[in-house]
Amino acid sequence: MTKDEELPSLIKAISDHEVAGFDGVEDPHTSLSGTEAVEIEDVREMHSVSISMPPSPLEHKTKRVLFDDDSTNLAPPPAAPTTMFYSQPIPKASALHEAITNGKSAPLPPPPRVNKLRDKRYDSFKTWSGKLERQLTNLRGRPREREPHRVEMGSVPVDRYFDALEGPELDVLRPSEEILLPEDKLWPFLLRFPVSSFGICLGVSSQAIMWKTISSTESTRFLHISPHINQVFWFISIALMVAVAAIYALKLVFYWEAVRREYHHPIRVNFFFAPWIALLFLAMGVPPSINKTLPKPLWYVLMTPIFCLEVKIYGQWMSGGQRRLSKVANPCNHLSVVGNFVGALLGASMGIKEGPIFFFAIGLAHYTVLFVTLYQRLPTNETLPKELHPVFFLFVAAPSVASMAWAKMVGSFDFGSRIAYFIAMFLYLSLAIRVNFFRGIRFSLAWWAYTFPMTGAAIATIRYSSAVDNAVTKTFAVILCLVATLIVAALLVTTVVHAFILGDLFPNDMAIAISERRPKSSTTRRWYHRRAASSDAAVDQYLKFSDAKDVEVVETQPAGP
Amino acid sequence: MEIQSSEKSCKDVALTVLTRTHAGYFRIALSLGWQALLWKILLKDSRMAFPLLTILWSFSLSILLLLSLLYLLRCIFFFDMIKDEFSHHVGVNYLFAPWISWLLILESAPFVTPSHASFVVLWWVLAVPVVVLDVKIYGQWFTKGKRFLTAVANPSSHLSVVGNLVGARAASKMGWREVSVFLFSLGMVHYLVLFVTLYQRFSGGDLLPVVLRPVLFLFFAAPSAASLAWYSISGRFDTGSKMMFFLSLFLFTSLICRPCLFKKAMRKFNIAWWAYSYPITILALASTRYAQEVNDGVAHAIRLFLLALSVLVIFGLLLFTAFHPNLLLDPTPSPTHHPTTFPTYLSAN
């Protein structure tokens, strides 16, 4: 690195317009020279991989940093006119254009997924996950002089997730933990795309259903809501669903290990129900102008994945040693249960008789178990957030959808539905009153999933108001719909802000990168973190047990995690 | 000398048999009883099947008589063993098994109708011990110091629930509606509590030894029995019964898809294997009622599958038991065979 170059900042935040995978996902032109590659890329802006590698893009200096196993590349290349830089921050678009217009022979390097290496790595992504993991651990930007940190990607036990992570969504790394991927770099987009992104589909598609219900129910006809709103929302949700599903499918293909780790994560596993529930919502929210009645086999097709997932997950609750419910119960488990009720509702509205009863029964049984467990807030339960968090709104989801499902199955909003509905309203009220406690919480994309309960409660209220038709219920219905709409709008604004202005809509997903074993130096630290919430006496007591290394940790930690 | 030794060996055999016959052996009687009931219901309209039913019923009756006799002798001569069984968290539930078996034999008798006086008398004779046991055990669940629910809950506790439900069903057949609803609600309330507790699976450790894993099948025996009981009470297989049946079907699927759970228990034949049979039979019975109500292809397919499975399982088990006479007669009990020892209790090796 020459002095006359300016050092790039360590972290460059470049706005992300690139939705498709980055870094090795679709780069068929890996054999292109730098210039051409740049031309193709110039229409897309990408996240930069922030590293501390020397840039010198505009010089002929060839500085190779290799992160491929192939050691033959270590020989310094000839000073070719085409310089290849393997680890570079991707410059901003303007810089790209500038570089191209400059017409230099090697204006800019291709993005760090570089040609020769890209080829090999691209191939190995498609092979067994073992090889894939080796590539995962050959971290981009890590200089090749070091031995690759070979990590055996076995199955991570659920205890590790509890030990290594904290926070209401169990996605914040505890300070003492190490992760397998570099912390200071921005990982590939696909790795940062969590399964909880399907929450957006849930949130938006439930809005579509709400607007459809408002415009078609008699008791709310006085609002004169046009059915077009429903159509708009429905098309938006279709688009979102396709986009999110496509990206996640890519993640499935290219980062299978990451998906597996998400599946083993005690909170994220529930979001694997989200795509199917979102599909059910889409089927329910179909604008009447497009299709009045859906074919019955569609219901069976949509419910099959939910059924298979349920057999797996509920069986784990019942028999799985480490994943038993008393240990892993958390409000997100409602997502596993609410799918049953949504399926029952859809099936009943399609005229199917037996299937909805089946899923309603299973949902009811498991909902009872979950409800009791969560209400107990067992001391063995580590995942319940100590502070209030929007995830608690999921409590409202199951009873409100169950009440609607029962009403459809029985034909009228009878006592069973009303009981469920009132339970939902009570829970909603308890949470709404405590809205002050919801402040100061870090935003995450999963919040979209927490909006559908409010929308569901609004829809249930509309149904209730059509059964019990008076001014009070109508007003209540209108208020709840307004609240749901406002929340979704606020969430949309927040999402946009985070996406474009703050640029941290998809932060590094720490939850999937935890190591399988505790870092050795932190055995005593772990004990510390467990107890740090308690009094100073405990801290003092701990200090007697800590070794010299950890004393520093203790002193610099304010009040513990 | 020879006569003495043969006498001695006779006495030894008798002793071994008595010491080894614990309440878990009534699983055989339970399975046979439920099979008899199943076939009685299936073939009740067919005159020609009467001999078959009688044979099956007599066979079940004889096995039950034999087991009851043995257990009675055990009560007389080895009462402390019975007390040990009672204080064991798994064994105590099997004390319901004799009463359930007798109730089933009573119900499945080919020539007795529920309105018959003898039926009523016998029902009372059999149901009262069930209620007494209920009061004792369920009361312990929420009052007693050491034996409260979270400490003792295990899948075999479902047997107490099944006992109540069978009693309820028989009572409603007799026309005694209030008693029937009483027993039904008793069973269901405790089923609810048990269901939640077992699903939570407190980390009090795995209360069920690996050998007893077949008892997990009781998870779906209870809701099927509930569906049958509600069917008897309400008169038709309505939504409540359907929901219980579906829950049971789901739990059955869930367990079937996890063969690894049972791998360790399947290594050696023991009496716990009989625990596979009667839950499937109960489910088959419930599916028969369901298929009668909902007359479509899927329901009949499920019913046939479950019927076939139940017959296969019981035949298999009968064969296995026939080829393992040392189940009862092994003169050398294993060193760990003391009834209160965890691993071998309620399995018979």
Side-chain angles (χ1 to χ4, degrees):
Chain A
M1 178 164 49
T2 55
K3 296 270 190 292
D4 51 5
E5 294 164 3
E6 76 174 34
L7 287 168
S9 59
L10 277 176
I11 296 171
K12 270 193 188 166
I14 297 181
S15 64
D16 171 37
H17 294 297
E18 170 62 61
V19 171
F22 148 98
D23 247 18
V25 175
E26 308 126 359
D27 189 15
H29 317 285
T30 51
S31 54
L32 290 175
S33 68
T35 329
E36 289 174 52
V38 160
E39 276 172 1
I40 290 164
E41 313 302 3
D42 71 354
V43 294
R44 300 183 285 186
E45 293 172 336
M46 312 205 200
H47 267 293
S48 73
V49 175
S50 66
I51 41 157
S52 50
M53 298 312 296
S56 60
L58 303 176
E59 301 298 313
H60 286 287
K61 268 219 164 55
T62 60
K63 193 121 186 167
R64 273 186 172 203
V65 175
L66 299 162
F67 31 91
D68 187 59
D69 279 341
D70 191 355
S71 55
T72 57
N73 283 347
L74 277 171
T82 315
T83 57
M84 310 261 239
F85 290 92
Y86 296 94
S87 54
Q88 293 291 343
I90 302 169
K92 287 198 176 143
S94 54
L96 272 168
H97 284 282
E98 198 183 297
I100 293 167
T101 50
N102 276 347
K104 292 220 172 179
S105 57
L108 281 164
R113 36 196 188 102
V114 196
N115 313 337
K116 259 192 233 165
L117 292 171
R118 208 57 241 126
D119 262 343
K120 289 195 186 111
R121 213 136 27 119
Y122 199 58
D123 290 341
S124 57
F125 277 4
K126 306 243 174 159
T127 54
W128 304 110
S129 26
K131 277 216 191 137
L132 183 72
E133 294 347 302
R134 219 177 316 126
Q135 294 311 324
L136 254 184
T137 57
N138 289 337
L139 309 167
R140 282 163 239 277
R142 199 173 269 184
R144 212 48 215 105
E145 296 87 30
R146 257 196 285 160
E147 264 286 302
H149 177 46
R150 291 279 172 100
V151 173
E152 283 302 311
M153 289 289 198
S155 174
V156 182
V158 84
D159 280 327
R160 276 300 297 146
Y161 287 102
F162 290 130
D163 291 339
L165 300 165
E166 55 183 4
E169 285 165 16
L170 220 61
D171 53 359
V172 175
L173 198 67
R174 289 194 206 259
S176 61
E177 291 291 332
E178 297 168 356
I179 53 170
L180 300 173
L181 298 173
E183 284 186 53
D184 50 349
K185 289 172 35 146
L186 205 57
W187 303 345
F189 178 73
L190 280 185
L191 269 184
R192 287 182 281 126
F193 192 79
V195 69
S196 34
S197 316
F198 279 105
I200 309 183
C201 310
L202 281 179
V204 180
S205 45
S206 59
Q207 281 287 309
I209 303 176
M210 187 180 89
W211 290 105
K212 177 180 177 184
T213 317
I214 296 181
S215 64
S216 58
T217 319
E218 255 118 77
S219 58
T220 46
R221 224 174 267 286
F222 66 95
L223 291 167
H224 301 293
I225 300 289
S226 137
H228 293 300
I229 306 185
N230 160 240
Q231 282 178 351
V232 166
F233 267 107
W234 195 76
F235 282 115
I236 294 177
S237 25
I238 292 253
L240 273 173
M241 185 71 201
V242 168
V244 174
I247 302 174
Y248 205 76
L250 288 171
K251 182 175 181 183
L252 206 70
V253 167
F254 290 110
Y255 290 104
W256 170 247
E257 181 61 29
V259 173
R260 204 157 75 96
R261 275 161 167 252
E262 283 203 288
Y263 185 71
H264 289 138
H265 189 279
I267 294 196
R268 297 273 178 89
V269 66
N270 302 298
F271 282 92
F272 279 86
F273 282 89
W276 318 109
I277 303 180
L279 283 175
L280 287 171
F281 279 161
L282 282 174
M284 281 201 286
V286 170
S289 51
I290 294 182
N291 197 352
K292 272 253 179 235
T293 52
L294 296 163
K296 287 191 184 171
L298 176 69
W299 186 81
Y300 291 101
V301 166
L302 286 176
M303 291 310 286
T304 311
I306 294 188
F307 180 72
C308 298
L309 262 176
E310 273 176 1
V311 168
K312 179 92 180 92
I313 305 257
Y314 296 164
Q316 265 180 350
W317 289 1
M318 181 163 68
S319 66
Q322 2 160 347
R323 282 170 210 280
R324 59 176 151 257
L325 194 60
S326 56
K327 191 165 184 186
V328 305
N330 61 81
C332 286
N333 283 127
H334 282 289
L335 278 172
S336 322
V337 172
V338 89
N340 292 305
F341 295 125
V342 175
L345 176 57
L346 178 64
S349 53
M350 282 164 74
I352 304 175
K353 286 273 175 292
E354 300 299 310
I357 303 182
F358 179 81
F359 282 101
F360 192 86
I362 299 175
L364 189 60
H366 293 92
Y367 177 64
T368 315
V369 176
L370 183 64
F371 188 71
V372 172
T373 311
L374 288 174
Y375 243 92
Q376 284 175 330
R377 293 198 70 132
L378 297 164
T380 51
N381 192 326
E382 307 177 42
T383 44
L384 274 181
K386 302 284 180 293
E387 68 283 344
L388 271 183
H389 187 272
V391 76
F392 276 93
F393 273 102
L394 280 175
F395 268 95
V396 179
S400 40
V401 182
S403 81
M404 287 191 280
W406 189 252
K408 265 278 166 17
M409 276 160 49
V410 169
S412 70
F413 209 87
D414 71 344
F415 283 119
S417 306
R418 284 178 205 208
I419 291 174
Y421 172 69
F422 292 139
I423 294 175
M425 285 301 113
F426 170 73
L427 291 167
Y428 198 162
L429 195 64
S430 321
L431 289 170
I433 281 185
R434 294 178 167 78
V435 75
N436 280 330
F437 295 105
F438 284 108
R439 300 227 185 106
I441 305 167
R442 196 175 60 91
F443 172 76
S444 86
L445 211 53
W447 284 30
W448 279 94
Y450 313 143
T451 62
F452 92 85
M454 291 184 254
T455 319
I459 304 173
T461 313
I462 298 174
R463 295 254 180 260
Y464 179 64
S465 74
S466 59
V468 177
D469 205 345
N470 60 50
V472 175
T473 56
K474 282 192 194 176
T475 325
F476 200 41
V478 170
I479 292 176
L480 283 183
C481 290
L482 270 175
V483 168
T485 318
L486 280 171
I487 300 240
V488 168
L491 211 56
L492 184 64
V493 168
T494 320
T495 312
V496 165
V497 163
H498 275 271
F500 300 121
I501 301 176
L502 296 174
D504 66 349
L505 191 61
F506 294 104
N508 278 352
D509 197 3
M510 298 297 181
I512 56 168
I514 56 174
S515 51
E516 277 168 55
R517 265 175 271 301
R518 225 174 297 133
K520 286 205 181 84
S521 59
S522 76
T523 29
T524 41
R525 271 188 226 165
R526 172 171 171 261
W527 192 79
Y528 165 70
H529 283 295
R530 276 265 162 95
R531 310 265 281 175
S534 55
S535 63
D536 288 336
V539 174
D540 287 341
Q541 192 186 14
Y542 166 68
L543 282 174
K544 293 186 199 141
F545 291 91
S546 67
D547 56 7
K549 270 188 281 182
D550 292 338
V551 171
E552 198 185 41
V553 172
V554 168
E555 280 166 3
T556 53
Q557 295 285 353
Chain B
M1 273 292 279
E2 273 193 15
I3 302 171
Q4 262 190 339
S5 62
S6 69
E7 265 183 22
K8 224 179 183 177
S9 66
C10 247
K11 204 175 166 191
D12 283 339
V13 166
L15 260 166
T16 345
V17 166
L18 282 187
T19 44
R20 293 184 63 125
T21 318
H22 52 68
Y25 278 78
F26 279 94
R27 289 188 188 109
I28 308 180
L30 273 175
S31 311
L32 288 170
W34 277 109
Q35 275 293 315
L37 188 60
L38 171 67
W39 288 104
K40 181 183 175 188
I41 290 178
L42 274 176
L43 300 173
K44 76 176 167 213
D45 298 322
S46 145
R47 287 254 156 241
M48 290 197 290
F50 194 76
L52 171 69
L53 285 174
T54 322
I55 295 173
L56 180 59
W57 184 79
S58 326
F59 179 59
S60 320
L61 181 65
S62 44
I63 299 277
L64 182 56
L65 275 169
L66 176 66
L67 279 171
S68 308
L69 190 64
L70 286 173
Y71 203 70
L72 198 61
L73 286 171
R74 185 177 150 102
C75 278
I76 295 171
F77 291 115
F78 295 103
F79 191 64
D80 51 344
M81 282 194 170
I82 307 286
K83 278 204 282 197
D84 285 337
E85 274 186 61
F86 186 73
S87 50
H88 192 270
H89 60 270
V90 175
V92 70
N93 299 300
Y94 278 92
L95 293 178
F96 281 91
W99 312 110
I100 304 178
S101 317
W102 276 106
L103 269 171
L104 287 170
I105 289 289
L106 182 64
E107 268 192 77
S108 57
F111 45 81
V112 173
T113 54
S115 43
H116 212 249
S118 52
F119 190 100
V120 176
V121 168
L122 280 169
W123 186 90
W124 276 102
V125 166
L126 296 168
V128 167
V130 171
V131 177
V132 167
L133 270 171
D134 275 346
V135 169
K136 184 87 182 96
I137 294 170
Y138 292 158
Q140 267 180 352
W141 279 8
F142 71 98
T143 53
K144 187 102 178 192
K146 271 192 280 182
R147 291 201 213 110
F148 49 89
L149 184 60
T150 45
V152 304
N154 65 80
S156 65
S157 310
H158 285 291
L159 209 49
S160 56
V161 173
V162 172
N164 287 311
L165 294 169
V166 169
R169 188 173 168 275
S172 71
K173 284 266 186 314
M174 291 189 318
W176 290 53
R177 201 185 157 83
E178 297 307 312
V179 173
S180 161
V181 174
F182 167 71
L183 281 175
F184 180 79
S185 42
L186 194 59
M188 285 316 282
V189 152
H190 290 96
Y191 178 56
L192 177 68
V193 172
L194 188 64
F195 187 73
V196 172
T197 310
L198 285 177
Y199 248 96
Q200 286 179 332
R201 280 181 48 93
F202 285 95
S203 52
D206 209 346
L207 284 179
L208 208 62
V210 175
V211 178
L212 286 181
R213 284 273 169 86
V215 167
L216 280 175
F217 268 43
L218 275 173
F219 257 107
F220 63 87
S224 319
S227 119
L228 286 170
W230 188 250
Y231 166 77
S232 302
I233 292 177
S234 73
R236 48 174 288 267
F237 208 82
D238 63 356
T239 312
S241 297
K242 282 188 196 173
M243 283 172 49
M244 289 271 104
F245 171 62
F246 288 139
L247 178 63
S248 169
L249 207 56
F250 176 77
L251 291 170
F252 171 69
T253 319
S254 190
L255 281 172
I256 288 290
C257 293
R258 294 188 149 70
C260 324
L261 269 182
F262 303 101
K263 226 175 12 180
K264 276 194 191 152
M266 297 295 284
R267 284 207 190 125
K268 201 174 173 199
F269 179 69
N270 63 63
I271 198 75
W273 285 26
W274 277 93
Y276 286 131
S277 159
Y278 53 92
I280 300 182
T281 315
I282 304 178
L283 187 60
L285 194 50
S287 73
T288 309
R289 293 290 187 212
Y290 175 67
Q292 277 171 356
E293 170 80 18
V294 175
N295 234 326
D296 71 349
V298 176
H300 284 294
I302 297 176
R303 176 180 74 106
L304 284 171
F305 169 68
L306 287 169
L307 275 176
L309 191 62
S310 119
V311 169
L312 268 171
V313 168
I314 201 166
F315 263 119
L317 283 170
L318 279 169
L319 280 172
F320 264 110
T321 318
F323 285 128
H324 282 81
N326 56 354
L327 217 53
L328 265 184
L329 303 173
D330 192 345
T332 54
S334 56
T336 47
H337 182 63
H338 192 270
T340 51
T341 310
F342 243 49
T344 56
Y345 187 56
L346 288 186
S347 57
N349 291 331

